[in-house]
Amino acid sequence: MTVFLVSLFLPKTVHFTLPGTPPRGSISRTSRPVTEKKVASEAVAPSLFQPPQTSITPPHTPTEERKSSDPFANEDGVRPPPLETGTSLRAPIDRSSPQWGGRSDQPMSRANSPPPLSLIDSNMHLKQKATEMGRAGVTQPRAVARSDSHDRVFAHANYRIVSADQGNGGLRNAAEAASRDGKLDDYTWVGTLGMPTDALQGTQQLQDIEDRMATEHDMLTVFCSDKDFDGHYSHFCKQILWPVFHYQIPDNPKSKAYEDHSWKYYVNVNQAFADKIVKNWKRGDVIWVHDYHLLLVPGMVRKKIPDAQIGFFLHVAFPSSEVFRCLAVRKELLEGMLGANLIGFQIHEYTRHFLQTCSRLLSAEATPDGLQLEDRFVDVVSLPIGIDPVSLSVHREEDEVLKWMAIMRERYAGKRLIVARDKLDHVRGVRQKLLSYELFLNKNPEWRDNVVLIQVALSTSEKSELDATVSDIVTRVNSSWANLAYQPVVYLKQDIPYAQYLALLSIADALMITSQREGMNLTSHEYLFCQDGKISEKKHGSLILSEFTGTSSLFGGNELSVNPWDYNSCADAIKTALEMGDDEKQRRWENLFDAVNHHTGSHWFTEFMSRLDRVYEEQHRREQTAVPRLSMSTLIKQYKSTERRLFILDFEGTLVSWGPVNQIIPMSPQRTLDVLNDLLLDERNTVYVMSGRRPEELDRLFRRVPNLGLIAENGCFLKDCGSDTWTEMADSDQIRSWKESVKNIMTYYLERTPGAQIEDRRCSLIFHYKSAEDYESACRQASDCASHINDACEQQRVHAIAMDGCVLVEPIDWTKSTAAQRIFSDLKAKLAPDEQHASPVDFLMVIGDGRDDEKVFKWANNLGGIGGTSSAATDDGEEVDPQQLVKEVVTVSLGNRNTEATATLTQGVSGTLLLLFSLLNSFAFESTTTSMMSPRRSRQDARRGSARGSKSDDLN
């Protein structure tokens, strides 16, 4: 079995050695001699196209980013260290990707220009050019010729495969840790080289690179055109998805043009990844796709390989449905993600947002475990990623780290250090942090000259206004309180080497993170690990952490949680961190350190893989094609070999053809009553019928069936066999409490949906809209209504389920499954075990057709030891007493859908009645065939006639 780790960038890339270029890691400052004078160019005729460029490649996308003057610097302003073949890159775990196509030792991009900043301005520009052309007598523009000399250089140049300095560092560290711990054997990376490849297309060089990556490094290289990758990564991912996932809605002509223009490139790159996976997949392989760059890949692979085992993990935050729905391609992105068997998020908040978004936009049924789609179930989990403590422990004891610790101790002797390292963009909250620090110094003059904030700011493609604002704040703070011996803010607009980074974390008194939104901040994990005091006299430093980071939910309040927009609370948190006593600092640090050591990268990796294996087996077992048809011969043998039998039968859609519970019942279904009476004539049979109808409705329906047990309103009411009274399972006070809240929400949507109605039942509310005047509009209103109720009433233990033509709101704590458990407990109390019967029930049969019956199927299967686990458990996850295990358990689902049941029956209501009738006749006729042909009336007809006196015509 091979695990495919699918990420946009591979851990390795290629660096070329070109003639006349400096070796990697050095930049020649001397200019090359001019060998020939530049010939003056002739007058250029006006053209609709861009003027000829001095470079041999078309210009880059004109985004609002400042190009680095250093060709070896990445997008964060980081100048990568020299890397040799086979070396591993040591860098902070949250490093970012370098400028794509901007290296001197890699090919340049052939990507065309993106859409203009304004389509209107573009049209005016074209008109002006056309006018100029007409005046000059030019009738047809001439395309710019391109030289292939640049391509030939790279096609024959020597190259080295080195560790890449872009991509997801946390994922790589986790995979390496899992492999080192022996929990991951055979795995292959799938991704791109992180460089333009059009210049190498059709050359032997490209084939050699692909072969070496596959054979020497177990990496499958995905090749896509420069145009596709530029539109995918630089435009759609960075200009559209990244802002939306971090609650920054792009709403200007430029972003709208990007979205329309670059979506097709996003699809093309995702398709290239899917094709590469499908080409190399073998049965039994596992596919794990990572992050927002590849949201469509799971769905694309699922179309080609329906049986594939696919996992997906989103490393960034997932926004609320109100934000995500602003994307024009929202449904396509969600449907792509739902191609996976298991979808993972960093924390529960992002999981909840995803479930609510799918429920609202796709009208999918959301459960605590995942999403129920039309043909399958998708599990959704929250599983935070972590760091690799083993590797970090080795690196921080290196001589270079110790040297820098000594330098900084001397440089900042007698000072308290607050450190921070962030990308310089609006999401990271650098501006808010500096303003809070300025306020702290204003409010606490005694700390001036005694505290220093070291802010490492990694430059990005962010707007220059933020850069100028941050620089102004730093200048203002330093000019207010700095002197010859003291500088309150040390602002480094560049990244620092890994050794300096670890040294800084080790000697800091506090780490301050004020991100406005962030998936998981692993810098805080590394800081806490470095504060154990093993290599520094400073230890147990405080952590000031934004409450909007995913990390905040893991630490249980032991950090100093702050709201980045509340400058006063941030300033107070700085003061608290600096003045905190040693005992409290140690107590907080120990709790935080335990959390970091528990949520490691290796634990995250292996836990996700084990869950993926488990849910894949469960989902495969529930698939309709994997569930066998009911065998009548086997069923009859089970029935005849047992004496304590319990039947739990669904009513609507199983025993009668009526569906919606709001339909008026015209008369009793006589054929169904006949079969139930026949079952109850055998004293060894106990029969319960479960329904969503009211208790009084069921009493009227089954008044001619004595000794029949009833479950009303999907488990909220229970009537035991032979009893005349109903037992209310639900808490009436709690029901009244949530009903008041839900009714107000339903009334709001009722006023906006002409023709809809609200049905008030004892323990549930139903919003009916099938008779609405505008059904499409009513469907949208109903979807919003369900999402609104699930959001607002989550704490009241109710959930809204979107069904065909209605929205059902019912309590979570009382279901058909809880009623079935109560029935089994009562039977256990009445029927004590004896020599022949170890359990109160030795034959259990459950038949149903709806989603609400699945929990009963699961409960029954667990009682029979069915479900792929070694020990049985209840629906709540509690272990089942071995004495409670039932000898024969049969769960039957009607229709064609994925199910927890162990067998299917496709003949519907008629098939259910004939099945039960065959069991009755099994004692009278020893020779019973497996066909579902209608049996002849048996001698029991006479007994039925005498028992009931008269009989109406069959309605079915």
Side-chain angles (χ1 to χ4, degrees), residues 547-608:
E547 64 185 67
F548 297 103
T549 63
T551 313
S552 179
S553 64
L554 304 181
F555 288 161
N558 292 289
E559 80 286 5
L560 296 176
S561 182
V562 295
N563 179 351
W565 286 276
D566 187 351
Y567 301 145
N568 280 299
S569 68
C570 292
D572 294 340
I574 296 174
K575 181 179 169 82
T576 302
L578 296 176
E579 297 179 353
M580 187 180 298
D582 293 340
D583 292 340
E584 184 178 357
K585 286 198 298 183
Q586 180 175 355
R587 178 185 61 81
R588 288 176 177 265
W589 177 86
E590 288 175 351
N591 294 331
L592 294 170
F593 186 74
D594 290 341
V596 170
N597 269 339
H598 175 68
H599 296 287
T600 63
S602 177
H603 172 268
W604 167 81
F605 195 100
T606 55
E607 181 67 17
F608 188 94

Side-chain angles (χ1 to χ4, degrees), residues 850-893:
R851 289 293 174 199
D852 50 356
D853 301 321
E854 293 298 322
K855 290 185 177 180
V856 190
F857 293 151
K858 186 175 183 179
W859 164 79
N861 291 336
N862 287 334
L863 285 180
I866 306 171
T869 57
S870 58
S871 60
T874 65
D875 187 54
D876 297 330
E878 298 179 358
E879 293 294 327
V880 176
D881 187 348
Q883 294 183 352
Q884 293 185 4
L885 294 180
V886 179
K887 177 183 176 182
E888 304 290 351
V889 173
V890 181
T891 51
V892 183
S893 173

Side-chain angles (χ1 to χ4, degrees), residues 596-623:
V596 170
N597 269 339
H598 175 68
H599 296 287
T600 63
S602 177
H603 172 268
W604 167 81
F605 195 100
T606 55
E607 181 67 17
F608 188 94
M609 292 302 299
S610 62
R611 290 197 186 192
L612 179 57
D613 291 337
R614 185 166 62 251
V615 302
Y616 178 74
E617 293 297 330
E618 293 176 356
Q619 293 171 12
H620 183 70
R621 178 171 50 84
R622 292 198 300 256
E623 288 180 0

